Amino acid sequence: MKLGKVEFCHFLQILALFLCLSGMNQAELSRSRSKPYFQSGRTRTKRSWVWNQFFVLEEYMGTDPLYVGKLHSDVDKGDGSIKYILSGEGASSIFIIDENTGDIHATKRLDREEQAYYTLRAQALDRLTNKPVEPESEFVIKIQDINDNEPKFLDGPYTAGVPEMSPVGTSVVQVTATDADDPTYGNSARVVYSILQGQPYFSVEPKTGVIKTALPNMDREAKDQYLLVIQAKDMVGQNGGLSGTTSVTVTLTDVNDNPPRFPRRSYQYNVPESLPVASVVARIKAADADVGPNAEMEYKIVDGDGLGVFKISVDKDTQEGIITIQKELDFEAKTSYTLRIEAANMHVDPRFLSLGPFSDMTTVKIIVEDVDEPPVFTSRLYSMVVSEAAKVGTIIGTVAAHDPDASNSPVRYSIDRNTDLERYFNIDANSGVITTAKSLDRETNAVHNITVLAMESQNPAQVGRGYVAITILDINDNAPEFAMEYETTVCENAQAGQVIQKISAIDKDDPPNGHQFYFSLTAEAANNHNFTLQDNKDNTATILTRRNGFRRQEQSVFYLPIFIVDSGSPSLSSTNTLTIRVCDCDADGIAQTCNAEAYILPAGLSTGALIAILACVLTLLVLVLLIVTMRRRKKEPLIFDEERDIRENIVRYDDEGGGEEDTEAFDMAALRNLNIIRDTKTRRDVTPEIQFLSRPTFKSIPDNVIFREFIWERLKEADVDPCAPPYDSLQTYAFEGNGSVAESLSSLDSISSNSDQNYDYLSDWGPRFKRLADMYGTGPDCLYS
């Protein structure tokens, strides 16, 4: 029976592994030809330990300890006098030895990927003396690898990109798998790659893991992304090998393989003629399936009658062509425009020029729509001049506007009064003639800028605006005057011919050739002996003294009238008075004191300070007089008493006692003590006569003496009491105590009772008690007789 090459190789590998495991585990000690070895007290031959390397398979899954090998010494006669011990890595924990036989076993599952070998030391001891019979020897237990680790892609999953339309075999990305098994032993770590998903578009190199394109002309616009699954298998891909997978996402990157194309051969847009300059008329776009820089394009107008009226630019974000207006549109001048527009890619790939030109053309027609436009002035700015001497109604100029529409409606004019608040000008509504409406003054306003409104007669909402600048021409209508208010002084020790002031003049007018002023003294001042004037012929004049020395005691102020004439036509003149003060000057001619009063005032006090002091004294005197007057006019108290008169308060007497037995609510002893001396007080607001007239006259009735006295005392007390209500108020005295000496005053049963009480005296109390007198009196006017 013949074997194939693959089967024969597998047979040889299995046979070699079997021989290795069966032969190498029977290691024994052999003698060497060295010199004898003597222990203390005994002489014996020195022996050496000669070891072969032990091997043990990893990942042993049996229930019994795994046999590793056997130790044996020539000294051991098999009588149990020799014992064997292990030390080193894993001794007693992983590896154990039978001290009698020297057999070594592994007690735990071993993993070569965790530790590939263990170094141990072996020794044979005399069991009785526990002394070594052989020198200590070191040996190695190596873990034999098995295929227990699958390949792993440590960097997966992968992402990669490749340009679209790439040729077959273009490298995309390399994937790498690692296997933790021993690469030096067998095929456990030998990996091969294969593609499980992604065919027929891509392939992978079995040994290197390089992924390549497998189809030509892959189009991103058709499909731009692919998902690949790559497998790595050890044992050189043979059956029984372990495998691992990873995913690779491949994206086709764009190339410029699509030229731009307009969706339509022509476009048409309608725009109103009133559309402002720089407004967008339309947006057009050529379609391009590419993206990014490959889709960038530029637009240009290559032909048409709107080359100077419109322009086109590109929107960088949307790659649209934006058509805008460069000049104002006028329906009456032109109603439509035609444009030939080209779109072309900015970045062309020479590899794809065979696909056609990377540009395209389209036609854009723009229709101008008529709009009712406001009137238009023949000029944007009118310049007019008028003399400030012009009379009201003088014609200044004319403005003109027309309706630009085909209807050419009539136009009416008006002035925007917000620009002519003072209403200096008027305009004829039909002709546009501007006239003056008020007298003009160049010195108030030299230029008037007004706005003229032009409105269509048929549609007043359409308003055009024109601007008019009216310049006012100057006339000589202002006399010259001093340029400033001069403060001129002359020293008492001044010499004749000394310059004391230089003066100049101003004029509000503005003559074309500039001002020319002439200075002189007036006729009445021309022959004065104190000062003279010298005209400098440069619009200035100099004031000089005519005599030596001035005295403030004689005259402290001089008034010099100066005559000034301008050069206008006709010329105007004015007389201005220069005030000259005589001052006391120091050695340098600087004025110190200029008032004549300084001679009589105390040193250190000026006139202003003295006036201020006098004003303060006068103010204090006025304040003192006011205080005294107020105190004298202050009202004295109405009652001679320290207590205040509070008549505005309401006083209530609502304490009704329960009779003589009621000692808590009312003190009856106060009623009986009629001899209490009361300090009577007089009222200032009631004269004694009025008080006497208002006092009632009592009839002598023995039965009511106590009551009358009580009422009388209360009445007097109320009249003079400052704390009581006003004297014309109603006083209520509720004296109805049960068993009172004064008996009851109640009128509840007075009609039906047989009381002999006489109330005729009520008629003597005045008109206030007339009602009571009529009810209870016995006179002829009594209501009840």
Side-chain angles (χ1 to χ4, degrees):
M1 181 176 179
K2 295 183 180 180
L3 298 176
K5 292 183 179 180
V6 176
E7 290 81 359
F8 182 73
C9 290
H10 287 173
F11 174 75
L12 291 179
Q13 289 177 356
I14 294 172
L15 180 61
L17 180 62
F18 174 77
L19 292 175
C20 180
L21 293 177
S22 62
M24 296 181 67
N25 288 339
Q26 302 298 327
E28 295 184 355
L29 295 172
S30 64
R31 297 180 181 179
S32 66
R33 296 179 181 180
S34 59
K35 295 180 181 180
Y37 171 74
F38 300 94
Q39 290 183 341
S40 60
R42 291 183 65 184
T43 302
R44 62 174 280 115
T45 303
K46 179 180 180 182
R47 295 185 181 275
S48 299
W49 296 83
V50 179
W51 301 96
N52 291 324
Q53 195 174 39
F54 288 122
F55 292 88
V56 60
L57 283 175
E58 67 171 333
E59 304 294 345
Y60 173 71
M61 304 298 293
T63 57
D64 297 330
L66 177 64
Y67 180 74
V68 177
K70 183 180 181 65
L71 298 178
H72 184 71
S73 175
D74 292 343
V75 180
D76 187 2
K77 302 300 182 179
D79 55 0
S81 61
I82 303 299
K83 67 175 182 180
Y84 301 93
I85 62 173
L86 280 179
S87 63
E89 291 181 296
S92 301
S93 60
I94 299 176
F95 302 101
I96 59 174
I97 187 170
D98 188 331
E99 63 179 11
N100 296 319
T101 63
D103 293 334
I104 302 173
H105 291 82
T107 61
K108 293 184 178 180
R109 183 172 60 87
L110 302 177
D111 188 358
R112 189 201 67 83
E113 285 71 40
E114 292 182 1
Q115 188 165 345
Y117 62 89
Y118 295 86
T119 302
L120 293 93
R121 292 181 298 278
Q123 196 169 32
L125 302 177
D126 186 282
R127 188 177 297 277
L128 295 178
T129 62
N130 205 30
K131 291 181 179 181
V133 296
E134 296 285 354
E136 186 180 57
S137 181
E138 186 175 83
F139 65 96
V140 174
I141 299 177
K142 188 175 182 180
I143 310 302
Q144 191 72 40
D145 183 47
I146 65 171
N147 189 18
D148 59 342
N149 290 279
E150 73 276 4
K152 294 182 179 179
F153 293 91
L154 301 180
D155 298 328
Y158 297 84
T159 58
V162 63
E164 63 174 331
M165 311 299 288
S166 295
V168 175
T170 302
S171 178
V172 179
V173 67
Q174 183 178 16
V175 296
T176 302
T178 59
D179 195 318
D181 293 326
D182 189 359
T184 63
Y185 178 76
N187 295 323
S188 297
R190 295 182 62 184
V191 177
V192 293
Y193 301 93
S194 61
I195 183 168
L196 301 182
Q197 178 180 326
Q199 295 174 332
Y201 305 102
F202 298 93
S203 63
V204 62
E205 288 287 338
K207 293 182 179 181
T208 62
V210 174
I211 300 174
K212 298 180 179 180
T213 59
L215 284 181
N217 302 327
M218 285 192 293
D219 191 1
R220 183 198 67 84
E221 288 72 35
K223 184 177 182 180
D224 62 348
Q225 196 171 81
Y226 297 85
L227 179 62
L228 282 64
V229 177
I230 306 297
Q231 182 189 64
K233 190 174 183 180
D234 58 13
M235 296 298 291
V236 201
Q238 298 176 6
N239 292 333
L242 303 179
S243 64
T245 61
T246 188
S247 64
V248 181
T249 302
V250 180
T251 302
L252 298 183
T253 58
D254 186 57
V255 298
N256 191 6
D257 59 339
N258 293 279
R261 292 290 180 263
F262 282 105
R264 297 165 56 184
R265 293 293 91 192
S266 64
Y267 298 86
Q268 178 173 318
Y269 298 95
N270 294 354
V271 296
E273 63 174 332
S274 60
L275 203 63
V277 174
S279 298
V280 176
V281 175
R283 287 176 173 263
I284 60 175
K285 183 178 181 180
D288 192 332
D290 297 321
V291 294
N294 297 318
E296 292 181 359
M297 62 187 72
E298 58 183 356
Y299 297 86
K300 60 182 178 180
I301 301 175
V302 296
D303 194 9
D305 55 2
L307 286 174
V309 182
F310 302 93
K311 72 174 182 178
I312 188 169
S313 59
V314 63
D315 187 330
K316 298 296 183 182
D317 296 328
T318 63
Q319 296 300 315
E320 291 178 309
I322 304 174
I323 303 174
T324 55
I325 300 176
Q326 281 187 302
K327 294 181 180 180
E328 292 184 352
L329 303 178
D330 189 359
F331 173 82
E332 288 71 28
K334 191 173 179 61
T335 60
S336 66
Y337 296 89
T338 301
L339 307 174
R340 288 280 294 168
I341 297 178
E342 179 188 57
N345 278 141
M346 297 180 64
H347 310 285
V348 179
D349 194 333
R351 296 177 299 169
F352 305 105
L353 290 177
S354 60
L355 299 177
F358 281 76
S359 63
D360 196 17
M361 300 281 291
T362 190
T363 302
V364 176
K365 187 173 183 179
I366 298 174
I367 306 299
V368 181
E369 297 178 343
D370 187 24
V371 175
D372 189 5
E373 300 173 271
V376 178
F377 284 88
T378 57
S379 175
R380 295 186 61 84
L381 177 65
Y382 296 86
S383 296
M384 302 178 183
V385 294
V386 62
S387 173
E388 65 177 325
K391 297 180 180 180
V392 174
T394 300
I395 297 175
I396 302 173
T398 304
V399 297
H402 68 282
D403 182 8
D405 299 318
S407 59
N408 195 17
S409 300
V411 175
R412 295 182 61 83
Y413 303 93
S414 64
I415 294 177
D416 184 355
R417 291 306 175 183
N418 291 323
T419 61
D420 184 27
L421 297 175
E422 301 295 330
R423 296 181 176 269
Y424 284 108
F425 308 99
N426 286 331
I427 188 171
D428 187 274
N430 298 316
S431 64
V433 175
I434 300 175
T435 58
T436 58
K438 283 185 179 180
S439 298
L440 304 175
D441 185 6
R442 188 203 66 85
E443 288 72 37
T444 301
N445 194 350
V447 177
H448 293 266
N449 294 304
I450 63 174
T451 300
V452 177
L453 306 179
M455 295 173 290
E456 291 184 12
S457 298
Q458 297 179 356
N459 186 7
Q462 295 295 334
V463 179
R465 283 176 168 77
Y467 303 97
V468 181
I470 302 175
T471 303
I472 310 302
L473 299 178
D474 184 45
I475 63 171
N476 191 25
D477 59 343
N478 290 277
E481 58 186 12
F482 279 156
M484 58 180 294
E485 186 176 351
Y486 295 101
E487 295 182 359
T488 307
T489 61
V490 61
C491 296
E492 287 184 308
N493 55 357
Q495 302 297 319
Q498 181 176 341
V499 176
I500 62 172
Q501 184 68 59
K502 186 176 182 179
I503 62 175
S504 61
I506 58 173
D507 193 330
K508 295 181 181 179
D509 296 321
D510 189 15
N513 299 324
H515 289 289
Q516 180 63 49
F517 300 113
Y518 304 96
F519 300 87
S520 63
L521 295 178
T522 58
E524 60 271 16
N527 297 323
N528 76 92
H529 301 289
N530 301 310
F531 306 98
T532 185
L533 181 143
Q534 176 182 333
D535 193 339
N536 299 326
K537 307 300 182 181
D538 60 353
N539 291 340
T540 64
T542 303
I543 309 300
L544 303 93
T545 58
R546 270 190 172 180
R547 63 184 177 89
N548 297 330
F550 294 87
R551 291 179 58 81
R552 284 178 292 168
Q553 296 87 339
E554 296 177 358
Q555 187 172 351
S556 60
V557 180
F558 293 89
Y559 299 98
L560 185 66
I562 298 174
F563 188 69
I564 307 175
V565 183
D566 62 18
S567 58
S569 179
S571 61
L572 296 179
S573 62
S574 66
T575 299
N576 299 263
T577 301
L578 182 67
T579 301
I580 304 173
R581 297 184 180 278
V582 180
C583 299
D584 179 25
C585 303
D586 57 12
D588 296 329
I590 299 175
Q592 299 295 321
T593 304
C594 298
N595 294 327
E597 293 82 354
Y599 285 101
I600 59 176
L601 292 177
L605 288 178
S606 63
T607 304
L610 183 61
I611 292 174
I613 293 172
L614 292 176
C616 291
V617 172
L618 182 61
T619 302
L620 290 174
L621 289 176
V622 171
L623 289 175
V624 170
L625 291 176
L626 286 175
I627 292 172
V628 172
T629 304
M630 292 294 292
R631 288 185 175 180
R632 289 182 177 178
R633 295 181 61 184
K634 186 177 181 182
K635 291 184 178 182
E636 295 182 3
L638 299 176
I639 303 172
F640 294 101
D641 189 31
E642 295 181 358
E643 297 178 359
R644 296 176 59 187
D645 186 9
I646 310 175
R647 299 191 177 186
E648 294 81 4
N649 294 341
I650 299 175
V651 179
R652 296 181 57 190
Y653 298 96
D654 56 355
D655 194 353
E656 291 190 12
E660 293 180 350
E661 290 84 1
D662 186 1
T663 57
E664 295 180 0
F666 194 86
D667 188 4
M668 298 302 295
L671 294 176
R672 296 190 179 93
N673 191 5
L674 303 178
N675 297 323
I676 296 176
I677 301 175
R678 292 180 174 86
D679 185 12
T680 60
K681 302 173 184 178
T682 60
R683 294 170 63 104
R684 289 184 174 272
D685 60 340
V686 181
T687 59
E689 291 77 11
I690 296 176
Q691 291 181 11
F692 293 148
L693 291 174
S694 62
R695 180 180 300 172
T697 57
F698 297 96
K699 292 184 179 182
S700 180
I701 301 175
D703 295 335
N704 296 316
V705 172
I706 296 177
F707 174 68
R708 287 199 306 271
E709 289 297 329
F710 169 74
I711 294 299
W712 173 247
E713 292 295 336
R714 289 292 187 183
L715 182 60
K716 289 194 299 180
E717 188 178 83
D719 288 340
V720 299
D721 188 1
C723 297
Y727 55 85
D728 56 352
S729 64
L730 176 63
Q731 298 291 330
T732 302
Y733 300 105
F735 184 59
E736 298 184 16
N738 190 15
S740 173
V741 178
E743 297 181 356
S744 176
L745 296 178
S746 175
S747 60
L748 296 177
D749 55 354
S750 10
I751 300 177
S752 59
S753 64
N754 296 324
S755 173
D756 58 353
Q757 179 70 32
N758 188 357
Y759 296 100
D760 292 340
Y761 61 87
L762 292 175
S763 59
D764 298 332
W765 283 14
R768 298 176 185 174
F769 298 94
K770 184 177 184 302
R771 183 66 172 173
L772 290 175
D774 294 341
M775 294 174 61
Y776 297 101
T778 57
D781 297 332
C782 182
L783 293 174
Y784 301 93
S785 57

